[in-house]
């Protein structure tokens, strides 16, 4: 059911410093920051030949990653995103198997303009999983 790895998301306390490190030290292609108010984050995408890295920092007071950064002040891997062809079919199959979908269970539009869902990390080896319909 899952396809390619779409991105790995890393929460960072200083987005500008992290983006500069990927650009200047690691020599990667770094896109400009995008505010995602619906998700409470500002993101910078790093484009690699085979996948993307998504640097995340909190946007607004109720950011869902504020707690993560409080526990991990230096930053850390926040989630991984797998591609699916049909997000509603994927959700129904996961829920039928007992996996928990976060939020209302209805897909939201993610940072790439495509529908996304998140799965409870306790159901997947301590890893927050994002599914994105491609
Ligand atoms: Co993501």
């Amino acid at each position: 059911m899952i396809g390619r790895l779409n991105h790995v998301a890393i929460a960072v306390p200083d987005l500008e410093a992290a983006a500069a490190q990927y650009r200047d030290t690691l020599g990667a292609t770094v896109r400009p920051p995008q505010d995602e108010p619906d998700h409470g984050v500002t993101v910078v995408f790093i484009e690699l030949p085979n996948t993307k890295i998504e640097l995340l920092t909190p946007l607004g007071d109720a950011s869902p990653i504020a707690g993560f950064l409080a526990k991990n002040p230096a930053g850390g891997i926040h989630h991984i995103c797998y591609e699916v062809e049909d997000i509603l079919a994927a959700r129904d199959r996961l829920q039928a198997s007992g996996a928990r979908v976060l939020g209302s269970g209805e897909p939201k539009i993610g940072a790439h303009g495509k529908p996304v869902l998140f799965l409870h990390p306790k159901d997947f080896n301590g890893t927050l999983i994002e599914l994105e319909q491609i």
Side-chain angles (χ1 to χ4, degrees), residues 6-9 45 54 56 79-81 111-112 116 118 130 132:
N6 185 273
H7 60 268
V8 175
F45 282 105
E54 179 183 276
L56 301 173
H79 66 265
I80 57 177
C81 177
H112 310 105
V116 302
F118 286 89
E130 178 180 20
E132 180 172 309

Side-chain angles (χ1 to χ4, degrees), residues 4 52 105:
R4 288 158 35 111
K52 295 186 279 288

Side-chain angles (χ1 to χ4, degrees), residues 42-66:
T42 301
V43 302
V44 163
F45 282 105
I46 316 290
E47 295 195 354
L48 304 181
N50 62 341
T51 190
K52 295 186 279 288
I53 304 297
E54 179 183 276
L55 302 177
L56 301 173
T57 208
L59 174 67
D61 294 334
S63 175
I65 65 166

